[in-house]
Amino acid sequence: MHTIEISDDVYEAALRTAALDSIDVNTLIEGLVRRHVEYIDLFRESSPDLPPFSLERYEMDRTPGEAEEDYQDRLRMFTSL
């Protein structure tokens, strides 16, 4: 058994979500991790030759009529990744 640390706000969200499903937080987190692992494994099996996603090869399109300030705001959402 291992212990992980998550922020208080994420734990509170997990607690609320688990309660809606009538399970405890540990069961919720384990289920989420298991499903994510299955998803990643399935994706890798179906597309083994695809390179990992990278924003380095991505060029953001401008929305017609978009102001420069709006474009830069939108661009900043991705440059921190």
Side-chain angles (χ1 to χ4, degrees), residues 5-16:
E5 290 185 31
I6 59 175
S7 64
D8 290 341
D9 58 324
V10 171
Y11 182 79
E12 289 299 321
L15 196 59
R16 288 191 308 273

Side-chain angles (χ1 to χ4, degrees), residues 4 8 13-15 19 21-22 25 32 37 39 45-46 48 54 64 67 73-74:
I4 61 170
D8 290 341
L15 196 59
D21 219 3
S22 300
V25 172
L32 290 171
V37 168
Y39 168 79
E45 288 171 8
S46 66
S54 171
D73 286 344
R74 217 164 33 96

Side-chain angles (χ1 to χ4, degrees), residues 3 5 9-10 16 20 24 28 30 40-41 44 51 56 58-59 66 70-71 73 75 79:
T3 302
E5 290 185 31
D9 58 324
V10 171
R16 288 191 308 273
L20 291 171
D24 60 37
L28 173 71
E30 278 194 32
I40 295 298
D41 288 345
R44 285 190 177 158
E56 290 176 10
Y58 177 78
E59 189 173 317
E66 181 178 39
D70 294 335
Y71 174 76
D73 286 344
L75 190 59
T79 55

Side-chain angles (χ1 to χ4, degrees), residues 28-64:
L28 173 71
I29 299 299
E30 278 194 32
L32 290 171
V33 171
R34 286 180 204 271
R35 283 191 298 275
H36 191 70
V37 168
E38 290 170 1
Y39 168 79
I40 295 298
D41 288 345
L42 181 64
F43 181 74
R44 285 190 177 158
E45 288 171 8
S46 66
S47 308
D49 298 330
L50 287 178
F53 177 74
S54 171
L55 289 172
E56 290 176 10
R57 296 184 295 273
Y58 177 78
E59 189 173 317
M60 186 177 303
D61 292 335
R62 284 185 175 267
T63 302

Side-chain angles (χ1 to χ4, degrees), residues 67-78:
E68 179 65 23
E69 183 179 331
D70 294 335
Y71 174 76
Q72 291 301 324
D73 286 344
R74 217 164 33 96
L75 190 59
R76 275 191 288 279
M77 288 190 296
F78 297 98

